């Protein structure tokens, strides 16, 4: 997020605090929908700014957001998104790499800190026993890494894309969602059973300090890429 986008984001956050509850709920749904749209961060904030000004003006007149943009918020957002230039292929790739770097560094740090080898290393260091500087990477840990990344992406996409779903529509889809949820749950259970079955199989080992430096390096790459994108 570049400086211009950050400044607009701060201004929008200030305007957002002036909304009443009803308008704020509707704006939250629209902003959530915009966050996964194929438009730049700046254009997202620009649309948000225009919407906030429109809604606040209506609010001062005693009107609600539906009076301004109608009842079909999703169609309104789709029309706005269609009128804006989409992200370029380069922007999408860089965004993906940036997200991957950040997620990998966070999950890697958690994996190192809570690994049995690290706990054993600390215990041995305290008790004066020989230290083992190796940490094992298993099939299970890699499977869990990919599961968390994939699930996080899909959940965010699902929530944002369905932010406008009405209660009536939700009730109509309960049966289908139950089947989908059951299938997904069964798939996840199968993956975890596979992870449990194969999880103990070590693929390779790596020095704990080297693993820590790798995680730190990935995070620094994320920071540098953020600065590049903000330029």
């Amino acid at each position: 997020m570049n400086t211009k986008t950050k400044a607009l984001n701060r201004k929008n956050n200030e305007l957002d605090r002036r909304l009443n509850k009803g308008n704020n709920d509707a704006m939250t749904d629209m902003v959530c929908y915009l966050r996964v749209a194929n438009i730049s961060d700046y254009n997202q904030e620009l649309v948000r700014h225009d919407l906030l000004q429109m809604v606040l003006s209506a609010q001062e007149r005693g009107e609600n957001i539906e009076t301004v943009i109608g009842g079909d918020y999703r169609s309104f957002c789709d029309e706005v998104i269609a009128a804006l230039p989409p992200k370029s292929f380069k922007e999408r790739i860089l965004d993906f790499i940036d997200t991957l770097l950040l997620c990998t560094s966070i999950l890697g740090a958690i994996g190192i800190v809570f690994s049995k080898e690290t706990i054993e290393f600390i215990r041995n260091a305290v008790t004066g026993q020989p230290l083992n500087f190796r940490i094992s990477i298993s099939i299970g840990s890699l499977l869990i890494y990919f599961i968390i990344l994939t699930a996080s992406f899909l959940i965010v996409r699902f929530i944002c894309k369905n932010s406008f779903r009405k209660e009536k529509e939700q009730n109509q889809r309960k049966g289908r969602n139950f089947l989908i949820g059951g299938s997904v749950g069964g798939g996840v259970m199968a993956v975890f059973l596979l992870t449990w079955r194969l999880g103990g199989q070590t693929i390779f080992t790596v020095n704990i300090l080297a693993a820590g430096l790798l995680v730190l390096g990935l995070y620094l790459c994320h920071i540098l890429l953020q600065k590049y994108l903000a330029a």
Side-chain angles (χ1 to χ4, degrees), residues 94 96-110 112 137 142 145 149 209-227:
L94 290 177
F96 174 77
I97 293 174
D98 181 55
T99 302
L100 192 63
L101 288 171
L102 178 61
C103 292
T104 303
S105 62
I106 292 173
L107 292 175
I110 293 172
I112 292 172
I137 307 298
L142 291 181
Y145 164 76
L149 280 186
L209 298 178
L213 289 174
L214 176 61
V215 167
L216 179 60
L218 291 173
Y219 184 74
L220 290 176
C221 287
H222 156 69
I223 297 297
L224 292 174
L225 185 54
Q226 282 280 300
K227 291 184 179 297

Side-chain angles (χ1 to χ4, degrees), residues 189-208:
M189 181 63 70
V191 171
F192 274 107
L193 286 174
L194 181 63
T195 302
W196 173 77
R197 181 74 175 176
L198 303 175
Q201 297 185 15
T202 299
I203 304 175
F204 60 89
T205 62
V206 63
N207 185 281
I208 292 179

Side-chain angles (χ1 to χ4, degrees), residues 75-101:
S75 295
F76 177 83
C77 288
D78 286 338
E79 290 177 5
V80 172
I81 292 169
L84 294 169
K87 287 182 181 179
S88 66
F89 178 74
K90 178 183 176 181
E91 288 176 319
R92 294 198 303 272
I93 291 297
L94 290 177
D95 283 345
F96 174 77
I97 293 174
D98 181 55
T99 302
L100 192 63
L101 288 171

